[in-house]
Amino acid sequence: MTAILLRKVLPASKHIELVESDQIGIIGVGEATIPPIQIFNRFINLDESAFLRETHATIKLAIRFENWRRQGDSYYHTFGAPGANVGFCGFQHHWLRGQKLGLTPSIWDYDLHYLACERGLFGPINSNNPLHQLGYAYHFDSALYGQFLRRMAEEAGVVRTEGLIEHVHQDSETGFITRLGLEGGRVVEGDLFIDCTGLRGLLIRKTLGVAHEDWSRWLPADSAWAVPSERHENTAPYTRSIAHRVGWQWRIPLTHRNGNGLVYSSAYIDDDDALSQLMNILDTKPLAEPRKISFKTGRTVEQWHKNVIAIGLSSGFLEPLESTSIHLIQSGIVRLMKMFPHHSIEPSMVELYNEESKEEFETIRDFIILHYHATERDDSEFWRAMRSMEVPLRLQQKMQAFRATGAVFNEQQDIFRDASWIEVMLGQGIEPQDYHPAADVMSDDRFIEMMQQVLKVKQEPLGQLMSHDAFLAKAVGR
Ligand SMILES: Cc1cc2nc3c(=O)[nH]c(=O)nc-3n(C[C@H](O)[C@H](O)[C@H](O)COP(=O)(O)OP(=O)(O)OC[C@H]3O[C@@H](n4cnc5c(N)ncnc54)[C@H](O)[C@@H]3O)c2cc1C
């Protein structure tokens, strides 16, 4: 992703070299994304049909969270927004007023994405009405996506060098990295180095010694088992995230298989038990041996240091509960483009880069903590610890504000909009005690009519949609 985007943006006079090692390989997991990936794909002129075909992709409209608030309960965090903002205040305030007046639809009944997910539908919608927009992301095989982008990058002029980096050389005065020494003696020189070495952080952490900020006191998961299994007959247009006694499980539908995994904390369950939990709940035949992955949740404190910028897992790790890591690659590169050095590295740009990426990581961290903390589950030591932990102050304030008034707040770098916070807070059981006075501006009769109208408008496009599988077959020309 980094190489192709740099190549598309920078003039041909800037030499871009991608070094990677087949001996090490890639982490090979990561299948669910969020909608901004469409902007990335469009920018690099990726043909959607070819992309869907080559990466066995499916459409993602939401994540369905099961057993998170309590066992047996489920809700969706969709890529849409419930209702419409009428007048001064957000739709949640109108919905809350409706509840007081005895209107029965849930907030999700006003969300086109939810309606499409429940019916397994997707497709193009011919309408100019903004309430009819069906924004989407993808599930895909990220290894195939990487190979696809690598081919594109090479065709566009990126030089790819296969080889294990054995030595990293630094300038003795500045500490800047000057060249990489590869196995077999080859040397790659450079002015600017993007560290995409994954959890190793070979340049940023191992060479430059930038610290890692540990967030395991809030997000104790440090392990995952991943296993592919046969695909389901009907492909769901959403990811499933199913909470268990000590962690959670993902189920991601691709066109040729399902991706499954269990994310857990080794402090609460040992690896063998976690594996048997995962295998016992697989509902289709496994297609390969399960693979264990270990990680440490947290952030590389300075994601840009000297002449190295960490992109991808070298910049930090957040568990895949909200499918944010691939997006963080994209936003890291976009941020780098905005602040790209002209003739030399400007320290103020480095500081701003680091401040923005800190805020972005922290808002995602808080959003993920919200799922664990705002729960009624107390059926295990794990959930009791999650419920009672002290969460970061900003998250405490957001939860308290929503509970008291129904209001939501976003930081500038927060990738999740109001609707995301509203659906997850309500889904996790935070019920506002009040709503904004501006929602009372209409008479009861007029208000009820307006709410019925919104419900109707949100349902209108459903007739234009087709089954998700029919869409995929059509899109890839099968
Ligand atoms: C369990 C799990 C589930 C995930 N699920 C999702 C998800 O659903 N959605 C999502 O957005 N993200 C997800 N992620 C994150 C996602 O997998 C990563 O963000 C993504 O794969 C990018 O990884 P990367 O390129 O940073 O690292 P890697 O894939 O590890 O790539 C590192 C690269 O560096 C090279 N390298 C390393 N050391 C050397 C060396 N010494 N010499 C030469 N080359 C070297 C390797 O060869 C490789 O090419 C998940 C992660 C985990 C652990």
Side-chain angles (χ1 to χ4, degrees), residues 20-21 24-27 29-32 163 165 196-198 312-313 320 325-326:
E20 54 185 344
S21 160
I24 292 186
I26 58 164
I27 193 156
V29 277
E31 296 164 335
I165 302 165
C196 300
T197 61
L313 296 176
S325 280
I326 294 172

Side-chain angles (χ1 to χ4, degrees), residues 396-407 409:
Q396 279 178 39
Q397 291 167 331
K398 286 181 183 173
M399 288 168 54
Q400 176 53 28
F402 187 69
R403 190 175 285 114
T405 69
F409 296 91

